[in-house]
């Protein structure tokens, strides 16, 4: 199955759909993209559609609603999760300024969440407010 993302004028993903491989000429990306776009338009779905990879084999990341499409990088990117996080231009993924603790996670924890006020990862395993 092929996946296509509809992007608006600001290159923000509005919708993601699945298209049968046969409706993409049975070809693989990038050859399948223009055939898939023609098929999508033929069934009345207008707009700009970009093929996305469920396995992130191309265009860096699988598109999700609210993601942006960067034409110059030919990549889909999630929205920036926190102001302090920076974009890794190789992977087009956001990275925290401090690496997440590298500890073994078990079913009982520990569990970490980014705390923007602290500028660090917080162990939320024993928190009762979540």
């Amino acid at each position: 199955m092929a996946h296509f993302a509809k992007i608006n004028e600001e290159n923000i993903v509005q919708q993601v759909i699945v298209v049968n491989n046969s409706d993409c000429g049975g070809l693989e990306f990038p050859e399948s993209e223009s055939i898939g776009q023609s098929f999508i338009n033929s069934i009345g779905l207008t707009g700009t559609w970009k093929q996305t990879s469920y396995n992130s084999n191309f265009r860096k990341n699988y598109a999700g609603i609210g993601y942006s499409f960067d034409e110059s990088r030919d990549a889909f990117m999630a929205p920036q999760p926190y102001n302090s996080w920076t974009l890794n231009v190789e992977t087009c993924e956001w990275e925290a300024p401090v690496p997440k603790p590298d500890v073994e996670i078990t079913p009982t924890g520990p569990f970490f969440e980014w705390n923007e006020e602290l500028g660090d990862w917080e162990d939320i395993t024993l928190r009762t407010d979540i």
Side-chain angles (χ1 to χ4, degrees):
M1 303 305 272
H3 299 83
F4 284 80
K6 181 178 183 178
I7 57 174
N8 66 13
E9 299 79 24
E10 290 82 34
N11 286 337
I12 304 298
V13 175
Q14 304 297 296
Q15 181 180 9
V16 180
I17 63 171
V18 179
V19 175
N20 195 304
N21 287 342
S22 63
D23 294 318
C24 294
L27 301 171
E28 293 186 19
F29 182 83
E31 292 82 7
S32 58
E33 184 171 58
S34 63
I35 297 170
Q37 290 166 334
S38 294
F39 170 76
I40 292 167
N41 289 321
S42 78
I43 61 171
L45 298 175
T46 59
T48 301
W49 294 88
K50 297 283 187 182
Q51 194 168 355
T52 185
S53 171
Y54 187 75
N55 298 317
S56 300
N57 292 331
F58 54 87
R59 295 201 165 132
K60 305 290 186 186
N61 303 292
Y62 181 68
I65 294 173
Y67 278 43
S68 61
F69 179 71
D70 185 314
E71 192 78 40
S72 65
R73 292 185 175 100
D74 193 31
F76 288 102
M77 298 179 296
Q80 185 177 12
Y82 300 97
N83 288 335
S84 64
W85 288 34
T86 57
L87 183 67
N88 177 320
V89 295
E90 296 298 318
T91 64
C92 290
E93 293 180 350
W94 296 99
E95 296 180 348
V98 176
K100 192 172 187 177
D102 186 19
V103 297
E104 182 179 349
I105 304 292
T106 69
T108 58
F111 303 107
F112 295 95
E113 180 179 86
W114 180 255
N115 184 320
E116 186 73 354
E117 287 181 24
L118 295 175
D120 205 349
W121 294 96
E122 179 179 12
D123 184 346
I124 61 168
T125 307
L126 301 177
R127 273 187 27 199
T128 58
D129 64 327
I130 55 173

